[in-house]
Amino acid sequence: QVQLVESGGGLVQPGGSLRLSCTASGIIFRLSIMRWYRQAPGKEREWVASIGSTGMTDYADSVKGRFIISRDNDKSTVYLQMNSLKSEDTAVYYCNLQASSLVFWGQGTQVTVSL
């Protein structure tokens, strides 16, 4: 059974930083494509960042230059370092694992950017 467990969310002031983690189990992590998505209240879920099995990364324009996605295959964990946070980054953040045609989601972690 594949499980994705996210952590690291919380409340942070504008301009601050947070690091999200997502640990996978039950699957060969190193061969998987990992993505972060987010969903703000009243909005559709949107893609934030991706990292492939080779370490190649890609980012949504809204977070480029502020967020960094990385992975540790030994720990089966993907990270999202979020810097210079803005109020519009407030959302539930979800990690997503793709292995071939199979896709799995984590339960989500809340990030709130507010004074």
Side-chain angles (χ1 to χ4, degrees):
Q1 182 178 355
V2 177
Q3 276 194 313
L4 300 176
V5 179
E6 295 125 335
S7 62
L11 174 65
V12 63
Q13 292 186 354
S17 299
L18 279 177
R19 188 177 81 155
L20 305 183
S21 301
C22 172
T23 300
S25 60
I27 197 163
I28 302 176
F29 179 83
R30 70 181 186 275
L31 300 179
S32 303
I33 300 170
M34 299 300 300
R35 300 180 177 93
W36 286 96
Y37 287 76
R38 66 186 181 186
Q39 187 166 19
K43 295 188 176 182
E44 293 188 353
R45 191 172 298 189
E46 64 173 358
W47 167 73
V48 174
S50 300
I51 185 165
S53 57
T54 61
M56 185 173 293
T57 60
D58 197 10
Y59 299 91
D61 288 343
S62 59
V63 306
K64 201 170 291 184
R66 299 188 298 123
F67 289 11
I68 300 170
I69 188 171
S70 61
R71 66 192 296 160
D72 185 335
N73 289 335
D74 291 336
K75 295 181 179 180
S76 297
T77 299
V78 63
Y79 304 97
L80 186 68
Q81 177 67 44
M82 305 186 294
N83 302 318
S84 302
L85 283 162
K86 306 174 182 179
S87 58
E88 50 262 45
D89 295 317
T90 295
V92 178
Y93 283 71
Y94 298 89
C95 71
N96 168 287
L97 182 152
Q98 179 185 343
S100 186
S101 61
L102 301 176
V103 176
F104 303 93
W105 291 89
Q107 81 286 355
T109 185
Q110 176 70 47
V111 172
T112 303
V113 184
S114 179
L115 291 170

